[in-house]
Amino acid sequence: DEAFNCEKCGMISFCNFSHFANQTDQSVKYQPSHVQTTTLKVLGTLILWFGWYGFSTGSTYFITTTRKAFLAQNAAVNTTLAAAGGTMTSLLVNAWLVERHTGETEFNLSDALFGCLSGLVSITNGCAYVDSWAAFIIGMVSGIIYLGGTKLLVKARIDDAVDAIPTHMFCGLWGTVAVGLFAVPDYLRMTHEDIEYGGWFYNVDNGRLLGCQMIGILFVVGWVSAFMLPFFGLLHYLGWLRADRLEEIVGLDISYHGGISGRTQSDDNDDDASRQEHLDAYFERKRLRRESSRNNLRRRVIDRLTDSLHRQDVSMIPSESNENINNTPAASEEVGRDSVISSEDTWQSNADVGGNHP
């Protein structure tokens, strides 16, 4: 259930994806974000890592078995090993790829942190049912899946600022499949006494557990897609799914939260001038919108006051005055004219239907 929740988070993020530019608009290039504070990123990752022990290890105490202590300690060890494997793999593989591409070795801390989270997501499903060596392998594969997933999103021009899709969806799917591959039969029998099979690597002639995991994946993907795609499609139709281009350029800290941008000052004067131009355009548009809103508010207030005064004036007219007005010769003449017109219309309609009548 915990791993399926991770998959659901990733699937919801995938349903909520936004292209960061039109497919034919090649002028907009991908630019990685560098505004986050590295210290806070590391602190947030460590907090999540620590919380994962309560998430995975603590859940075993809801199992009705006498071996819950063993399952809890196994879950804690495997959680640690998978996170370490994801961290090392994503850090080293990314450094190797950068060296092949640029000729210089660069160790990216951000990729290491996301690799750690990817390993934690992948091991969540089978943390109590796999051996330690399998947990480390699961974490290593998750680090590679994360790197490949981020590059795939950039190539597909899909905007995922927090890498939720590769971390939660791709690695969550891999963790679900890994249970069907690495689950130890003896560990499974501690909580499921009647089970006679385990992971595919322990019994290549029996793939029932792997098949069950694949069915679970299909169910989660179908369930989330059926409910979330129409929801986000409606938001997209209403224009509420994403910010407009100008608000993205100036930064959501300014446009949505009313604060200052966290972007550091650039050494390029052209970039600074271009950014200041966009800021001026944004604040000018914001000023015009406020003036328009104030004018609309004034119109509504004036219209309501006018209606209220008109109703008050009408209610103050005496009823006798209304009767006198209706009894005047001009009013009687107007009523008579309306009666003659009504009679002529009735005669004409009868003539059109049944011919002329005397």
Side-chain angles (χ1 to χ4, degrees):
D1 293 341
E2 297 165 358
F4 282 148
N5 289 332
C6 295
E7 292 177 31
K8 291 175 185 177
C9 293
M11 280 299 301
I12 291 173
S13 300
F14 184 73
C15 292
N16 189 26
F17 73 85
S18 301
H19 287 68
F20 58 79
N22 191 290
Q23 293 290 345
T24 59
D25 184 8
Q26 299 298 327
S27 61
V28 180
K29 302 297 183 181
Y30 167 75
Q31 294 182 355
S33 177
H34 299 290
V35 301
Q36 298 93 346
T37 303
T38 303
T39 304
L40 294 180
K41 290 170 66 175
V42 175
L43 178 61
T45 303
L46 292 178
I47 292 174
L48 283 172
W49 193 347
F50 180 77
W52 229 279
Y53 292 109
F55 184 54
S56 297
T57 307
S59 300
T60 60
Y61 281 88
F62 289 95
I63 301 174
T64 56
T65 177
T66 58
R67 301 299 303 277
K68 64 176 61 177
F70 172 80
L71 294 176
Q73 68 183 16
N74 192 45
V77 172
N78 290 338
T79 298
T80 306
L81 292 175
T87 302
M88 293 177 53
T89 303
S90 58
L91 179 67
L92 297 178
V93 172
N94 181 72
W96 177 74
L97 292 175
V98 171
E99 194 274 334
R100 293 291 300 271
H101 183 69
T102 63
E104 298 180 357
T105 303
E106 176 184 342
F107 295 96
N108 193 325
L109 180 60
S110 179
D111 288 331
L113 297 177
F114 275 105
C116 175
L117 295 178
S118 301
L120 292 171
V121 170
S122 298
I123 198 59
T124 301
N125 202 342
C127 57
Y129 299 116
V130 300
D131 281 326
S132 300
W133 62 269
F136 191 77
I137 292 176
I138 292 172
M140 292 177 62
V141 174
S142 68
I144 298 175
I145 291 175
Y146 163 74
L147 294 176
T150 54
K151 296 184 182 300
L152 178 63
L153 294 184
V154 173
K155 187 175 181 179
R157 304 180 69 79
I158 294 178
D159 186 9
D160 184 9
V162 296
D163 286 337
I165 296 174
T167 303
H168 290 279
M169 179 182 172
F170 294 159
C171 293
L173 294 175
W174 156 242
T176 305
V177 175
V179 174
L181 298 175
F182 297 102
V184 181
D186 293 338
Y187 297 168
L188 290 174
R189 294 190 187 97
M190 293 181 184
T191 55
H192 305 81
E193 297 179 357
D194 298 333
I195 197 169
E196 298 178 355
Y197 50 86
W200 185 72
F201 287 151
Y202 291 91
N203 189 359
V204 295
D205 296 331
N206 191 340
R208 294 179 62 183
L209 181 59
L210 181 60
C212 291
Q213 297 298 104
M214 298 300 296
I215 293 175
I217 290 175
L218 295 177
F219 178 80
V220 171
V221 172
W223 178 272
V224 176
S225 300
F227 280 91
M228 289 293 103
L229 283 177
F231 174 72
F232 288 115
L234 177 62
L235 293 183
H236 179 69
Y237 176 78
L238 297 175
W240 297 347
L241 186 60
R242 65 172 298 170
D244 61 37
R245 191 68 59 85
L246 182 59
E247 291 176 345
E248 289 182 346
I249 293 175
V250 301
L252 301 184
D253 287 339
I254 294 177
S255 60
Y256 273 48
H257 307 297
I260 61 174
S261 175
R263 180 177 176 180
T264 57
Q265 295 294 329
S266 174
D267 295 335
D268 193 345
N269 294 328
D270 293 337
D271 290 342
D272 291 340
S274 176
R275 177 167 175 75
Q276 187 60 42
E277 181 180 355
H278 287 112
L279 286 172
D280 294 339
Y282 168 74
F283 285 116
E284 177 64 18
R285 187 181 71 175
K286 187 175 182 179
R287 184 184 66 81
L288 294 175
R289 285 181 176 178
R290 285 183 175 178
E291 290 182 356
S292 177
S293 299
R294 292 194 188 107
N295 292 334
N296 293 332
L297 179 60
R298 291 193 189 100
R299 292 193 200 97
R300 289 195 296 268
V301 171
I302 292 173
D303 291 341
R304 290 184 179 180
L305 288 175
T306 304
D307 293 340
S308 177
L309 292 175
H310 179 70
R311 293 174 181 174
Q312 185 177 2
D313 292 340
V314 172
S315 63
M316 292 176 63
I317 298 176
S319 58
E320 296 179 356
S321 300
N322 295 334
E323 294 178 357
N324 294 332
I325 292 174
N326 293 331
N327 294 330
T328 58
S332 300
E333 182 180 355
E334 190 71 18
V335 172
R337 187 183 301 112
D338 294 340
S339 301
V340 172
I341 294 174
S342 177
S343 300
E344 291 178 355
D345 292 340
T346 303
W347 178 85
Q348 184 65 34
S349 62
N350 293 331
D352 294 339
V353 175
N356 295 329
H357 295 278

